[in-house]
Amino acid sequence: MDTAELTELGQQLRVDSVRAAAAAKSGHPTSSMSAADLMAVLLAHHLRYDFDRPDHPGNDRFVLSKGHASPLLYSAYKAAGVVDDDELLTFRELGSRLEGHPTPRRLPWVETATGSLGQGLPVGVGIALAVKRLDRSEARVWVLCGDSEMAEGSVWEAAEHAGHEQLDNLVAIVDVNRLGQRGPTRHGHHLDAYARRFQAFGWHTVEVDGHDVDAVDRAYGEACSTKGQPTAILARTLKGKGVEAVQDREGLHGKPLPDADEAIEELGGVRDLRVRVQPPPSARLLHAVADGRLDLPRWEKGDPDKGVATRDAYGQALAALGTAREDVVALDGEVSDSTRAEFFAKEHPERFFECYIAEQQLVAAAVGLAARGRVPYASTFAAFLTRAYDFVRMASISGAGINLVGSHAGVAIGQDGPSQMGLEDLAMFRAVHGSTVLYPCDANQTARLVATMAQLDGVRYLRTSRGASPVIYGPDEEFPVGGSKVLRSSGRDRLTVVAAGVTVHEALKAADALAGEGVDVRVVDLYSVKPVDRETLRRAAEETGCLLTVEDHHEEGGLGDAVAEAFADGRPVPRLVRLGVRTMPGSASPDEQLHAAGIDAESIAASARLLVETAVVP
């Protein structure tokens, strides 16, 4: 396309954005209009993409980080011939593929869900890492950002990571239209303010008039020829460009234009230009699921005074899984010597990604790698994953298949104190739509669950522990997701203790002590916290009359709530008593911490006696 045709295409994208928002009576047309010329030039001259084969390994990847500008994206799809005009006008309707913010669940050309600002570039970094380091492809990753989201810290985690990795296949296009939701942005049209920041992180920068299609074309070409650095194109634009009533005016964010027909006429009317997008270069998919046999580490049942930390079992199992499957990758937040992801890093360094202390980037990179067909395992301390929760939430909206592993969970870590103790993580991950939450108590159980996670969909979370625990299961034991293990049971059981992870061993000690007193209690290892084993729990409630849950976690949202929800469908609710961490811990040894929280064997036994003898809730 020549200059005049590119300009016309930009106007068409504006018109169609206005039309879509007008049909929906909602949306963000002015945010779409500012970036229309940027999109037109990219679509017509630089994007290499086969819309019939969105999984083509040679395709460039495009991420709309400013997801509210979805009318622009859908208008571009119309210009590319993959969305027709009738569908464009179903924008935001019930059942339409064209949602208010784009998601890959609905559209195969969308890489990741966006709309929570500051996430597109971090995910784009993950995609670019996969393309460059693993696919070894010439494909580029284009991310269209808004200037408002430049205030998000996650953007600068991404910028630093991309600069460190010298991701010269990554191009960030920043639509600097000066206006945010409620008024001017922090830096307005001062492009140099953004340039200095990107340059500080090792980026090549290009400042450009975002409505000069020839200048934009040259800027994209410069980005494609830059080696050894990612490129940030900082484009000065006007929000609502082309319509006098809204152009560069405050108070119009997220609203359809006041008079859409008049605006369309001012923009030159409806057009129906079609763009022949460049095909991708030939490429082959380099990764595959290996046919090799999975040889998980094995531990024999041992002396109860000795054991293996589940974090150690995680690291060893992950390394073994990486040997069997070439699509498995691992990421860590600069604590791999603690999470034990270092075992994978030593055996498979080309598939290990160090994200340093940047948990938002850690999860985002995992989402990006998953978008490129990898099976990522991302690990850090359970407590620190709370920092990245919005990225976890958005991963679920994307339908991303990622494995997250939180170590050093609960008061059982001991002397480090509450800032290091994951005491909210089970609740956090249980609340994620479609998630799986697993909490193993011994090494063999951990290894089996690590392998199983690779076969699951959605967000999967595994909780591991710092201290060693006895090996109570044989190496050939199976642990299906949604199951549990009954470790103590008899026809004389007076109540059931439900535990997971660290508290399983405390529950077993308590059960043995109570048995010596002639009080039989059932012990259930509820290693699958979500989905939960409803059948076993309901049977235990019917047969023993009372459930006592014990968790190294705050009472809200964790194991106790998971058990309670097993009876949420109208079944008779059993007598349910919960033991959990109710106070703010300090520093103490692991044994002292468990006792202070009232979740050690002595406390469990005392609560059981009280329940059996007096039926009084402690």
Side-chain angles (χ1 to χ4, degrees), residues 393-436:
R393 181 183 69 88
M394 290 297 293
S396 172
I397 294 171
S398 289
I402 60 173
N403 301 290
L404 302 175
V405 181
S407 70
H408 291 59
V411 299
I413 70 169
Q415 291 91 338
D416 284 341
S419 69
Q420 311 297 296
M421 297 171 177
L423 290 168
E424 309 84 6
D425 54 317
L426 296 179
M428 180 172 80
F429 282 101
R430 283 185 63 245
V432 173
H433 175 74
S435 64
T436 300

Side-chain angles (χ1 to χ4, degrees), residues 113-402:
T114 53
S116 181
L117 293 176
Q119 299 210 14
L121 189 59
V123 174
V125 169
I127 296 172
L129 284 168
V131 168
K132 183 173 184 177
R133 280 183 49 178
L134 302 179
D135 293 344
R136 296 194 286 280
S137 163
E138 295 301 314
R140 290 185 286 269
V141 181
W142 305 86
V143 182
L144 178 57
C145 303
D147 51 351
S148 286
E149 67 182 308
M150 294 295 107
E152 290 280 7
S154 57
V155 168
W156 303 110
E157 286 187 14
E160 183 167 25
H161 197 79
H164 175 74
E165 294 284 350
Q166 299 181 323
L167 296 179
D168 51 14
N169 61 338
L170 176 64
V171 183
I173 308 163
V174 185
D175 177 21
V176 186
N177 65 25
R178 188 186 75 84
L179 292 174
Q181 178 168 322
R182 61 96 194 99
T185 58
R186 177 177 289 153
H187 301 295
H189 273 141
H190 297 295
L191 302 186
D192 61 321
Y194 299 107
R196 289 195 305 271
R197 285 160 175 77
F198 276 105
Q199 290 165 6
F201 290 121
W203 287 57
H204 176 65
T205 61
V206 184
E207 298 178 31
V208 68
D209 178 347
H211 302 308
D212 181 337
V213 292
D214 289 331
V216 171
D217 197 15
R218 290 192 298 271
Y220 288 165
E222 184 175 334
C224 294
S225 63
T226 298
K227 302 301 180 185
Q229 292 177 288
T231 297
I233 294 173
L234 305 167
R236 186 187 189 280
T237 65
L238 297 176
K239 201 164 185 174
K241 168 69 175 175
V243 176
E244 179 62 27
V246 298
Q247 180 173 298
D248 199 31
R249 296 180 184 271
E250 297 181 26
L252 295 166
H253 180 88
K255 300 175 182 178
L257 269 59
D259 189 330
D261 290 338
E262 183 178 310
I264 291 167
E265 182 178 352
E266 186 176 350
L267 290 167
V270 176
R271 301 157 174 82
D272 193 23
L273 296 174
R274 287 288 183 266
V275 177
R276 185 175 180 181
V277 178
Q278 295 182 57
S282 60
R284 62 189 181 91
L285 198 62
L286 294 178
H287 77 276
V289 178
D291 294 329
R293 186 176 126 191
L294 174 58
D295 291 318
L296 288 173
R298 297 166 66 88
W299 294 269
E300 299 302 324
K301 294 183 182 181
D303 184 331
D305 294 330
K306 299 176 183 178
V308 179
T310 55
R311 61 170 175 158
D312 291 332
Y314 161 70
Q316 293 182 50
L318 183 61
L321 186 62
T323 299
R325 295 184 52 152
E326 296 175 12
D327 59 343
V328 169
V329 298
L331 309 88
D332 198 84
E334 212 267 290
V335 287
S336 60
D337 55 338
S338 289
T339 62
R340 302 304 196 238
E342 65 179 2
F343 297 154
F344 184 98
K346 290 174 181 176
E347 292 196 27
H348 312 289
E350 74 286 355
R351 284 183 276 143
F352 177 78
F353 298 86
E354 179 58 75
C355 296
Y356 300 94
I357 305 296
E359 290 83 11
Q360 294 177 104
Q361 183 57 52
L362 171 75
V363 176
V367 172
L369 286 158
R372 296 299 306 125
R374 273 36 183 223
V375 180
Y377 286 75
S379 52
T380 185
F381 286 14
F384 303 158
L385 283 168
T386 59
R387 187 188 299 263
Y389 189 60
D390 190 29
F391 283 80
V392 176
R393 181 183 69 88
M394 290 297 293
S396 172
I397 294 171
S398 289
I402 60 173

